[in-house]
Amino acid sequence: MGQVLLCTLIVFACLAGLTYLASNMILENKSILEYIAKKKAKAEADFAKAKELTLREKVIGTYELELKKFGETQRYVLLDNSTVEYYLNGKKEEAEHKWSIVDKEVHIERENRAVSVFSINKDESITGIATIDEDGKRKEILKEHQYTRKKIK
């Protein structure tokens, strides 16, 4: 019984020694450390890339514009299914609109096939900058008539 215990202790001591020796060899080997650093950097880059949202995903949400001089509040809800819910003073409009991203702009198609064009701002708000008529002619909106809708959700 004593010999078995002694052999077990010797085996554990050898394993501990080998583990210590192997760990130190790894920690002192430059090529292994460089390999580990490269793998870590790639994993972090892959993680960051996976978290990065597409422009379309960033735009999905609720936007609001309060026009005090007209006494109205407009709310646009850009849904994931490419439809827009439009609210005027809290009342939902029945007409269904479609939205899309075209050349890094939000295009909202109205029931008469006219399109409202919005720039996407760095603060995630959108600003009405142009209209496109049913014949496809784009008309820029004068700066003083461009209104920004703040993203609230």
Side-chain angles (χ1 to χ4, degrees):
M1 178 75 153
Q3 290 176 341
V4 172
L5 184 58
L6 183 60
C7 288
T8 304
L9 284 174
I10 292 171
V11 167
F12 278 121
C14 288
L15 288 174
L18 287 172
T19 301
Y20 175 79
L21 185 64
S23 295
N24 283 339
M25 287 176 67
I26 289 170
L27 294 175
E28 293 173 5
N29 188 316
K30 285 186 179 182
S31 65
I32 291 176
L33 292 176
E34 287 172 2
Y35 174 80
I36 291 171
K38 284 180 185 175
K39 286 293 187 182
K40 182 180 176 186
K42 184 178 182 330
E44 288 171 352
D46 289 348
F47 180 72
K49 191 184 233 182
K51 283 188 353 184
E52 196 172 305
L53 296 175
T54 65
L55 183 58
R56 185 179 191 290
E57 291 169 328
K58 289 178 186 177
V59 167
I60 292 170
T62 303
Y63 298 84
E64 193 168 87
L65 170 65
E66 191 174 334
L67 293 168
K68 290 181 182 177
K69 64 182 175 182
F70 299 116
E72 65 183 42
T73 301
Q74 298 175 3
R75 182 175 283 184
Y76 289 67
V77 182
L78 278 60
L79 300 171
D80 189 32
N81 66 0
S82 299
T83 60
V84 180
E85 291 178 355
Y86 176 72
Y87 296 82
L88 182 59
N89 297 326
K91 185 179 178 203
K92 185 177 178 184
E93 186 180 275
E94 294 302 316
E96 186 176 290
H97 307 292
K98 293 287 186 183
W99 74 274
S100 60
I101 301 286
V102 179
D103 296 328
K104 297 183 180 179
E105 297 173 330
V106 175
H107 285 210
I108 298 178
E109 187 174 331
R110 305 288 180 186
E111 59 276 351
N112 62 356
R113 294 184 25 125
V115 176
S116 296
V117 180
F118 298 85
S119 64
I120 302 167
N121 306 315
K122 290 182 186 203
D123 67 355
E124 296 188 351
S125 62
I126 57 174
T127 301
I129 59 167
T131 58
I132 301 173
D133 66 21
E134 56 276 353
D135 296 326
K137 294 178 186 163
R138 182 177 172 128
K139 181 180 178 186
E140 301 302 316
I141 297 172
L142 296 173
K143 280 277 189 202
E144 59 266 19
H145 298 294
Q146 293 181 3
Y147 296 106
T148 298
R149 288 132 181 96
K150 299 285 183 196
K151 188 168 190 179
I152 61 170
K153 290 184 190 174

